[in-house]
Amino acid sequence: LQKGAMQKMPFGVRLACVLLVFLITMGFISTLWARKQTPPSTEVAVSIGVCLPLSGKTDEGQVQRRALLIAQRIRPLAGGKSVDLVIKDTQGTSQGTRKALQSMLADHDVTALIGGATPDEAAAMLEVVSRDRRLMVHPVPVVITTAGEPLTDAPQKPWRISTPLAVKARAAAGFAVGKLKAKRVGILLDPADAGGVRLASLFSSALIAQGGVVAEIAYLGKSEWACRN
């Protein structure tokens, strides 16, 4: 089992994922641009809002920022207009995400939003979007990058590039039972990896539902992981 969190991916894979986010988002822009009420002559750029944990505990936000800047150079235009990335620091917290997004929406007319590096940040982002009066009238695409499920009742339905952990767990269990014909499965798990623990739990439930059995769970420490990797 692999952890769904993006920070565990190799650097190149993380860059590729964020590049994909940007290019998908850009695909929405030309269509949405036609709906804008402002005369084209006054529009000088397409603004895409980006909320990232640039000063958080991990380098995830910085990796995504670099990938987005690369993607901007690959596709610098949308609807015949130049692309402007409005990047705000969430500080890796829900409150920081709310403040960053509220500040962005007050100062910029964005045509899409990218963010939600963690479930908590994604939930905060969706809550702000769902309460913004301008976005209620003129909704914009919201793309989140976390693999976890944001815990929110906000009506906004985001686009996602990371498969939810529950879907990964069902797919892994189906492969183990259906393709490998495995009935007894062992799990190697780092107890300090919250995402991995959650994924293992979902996988166990999905495996049992499909007729399999978790024979053993081995908990490994950092030194043991290093030896095996």
Side-chain angles (χ1 to χ4, degrees), residues 8 21 75 84 92 113 134 140 154 167 173 181 208 224 228:
K8 290 297 184 180
V21 171
R75 188 169 180 179
D84 179 23
L113 291 167
R134 183 175 58 189
V140 301
V167 176
K181 307 300 180 184
I208 293 171
E224 293 170 297
R228 286 164 175 76

Side-chain angles (χ1 to χ4, degrees), residues 168-190:
K168 290 183 177 181
R170 288 195 297 271
F175 181 80
V177 175
K179 296 293 184 180
L180 300 180
K181 307 300 180 184
K183 293 297 183 180
R184 293 171 58 83
V185 177
I187 298 176
L188 298 177
L189 185 62
D190 178 2

Side-chain angles (χ1 to χ4, degrees), residues 33-120:
W33 198 257
R35 302 177 185 176
K36 289 286 184 178
Q37 301 301 315
T38 309
S41 59
T42 66
E43 304 287 0
V44 295
V46 175
S47 295
I48 297 179
V50 182
C51 294
L52 299 175
L54 300 176
S55 58
K57 296 180 180 180
T58 70
D59 67 342
E60 182 177 355
Q62 293 293 348
V63 169
Q64 293 188 24
R65 176 181 176 276
R66 288 195 292 270
L68 287 169
L69 292 175
I70 293 172
Q72 183 185 28
R73 290 199 294 270
I74 293 174
R75 188 169 180 179
L77 299 176
K81 304 292 182 179
S82 62
V83 175
D84 179 23
L85 293 180
V86 182
I87 302 176
K88 295 285 187 177
D89 182 13
T90 66
Q91 300 179 341
T93 67
S94 298
Q95 186 61 24
T97 300
R98 292 188 186 94
K99 289 182 178 179
L101 185 52
Q102 288 167 349
S103 172
M104 177 190 298
L105 294 177
D107 297 335
H108 301 275
D109 183 14
V110 298
T111 55
L113 291 167
I114 300 174
T118 68
D120 288 344

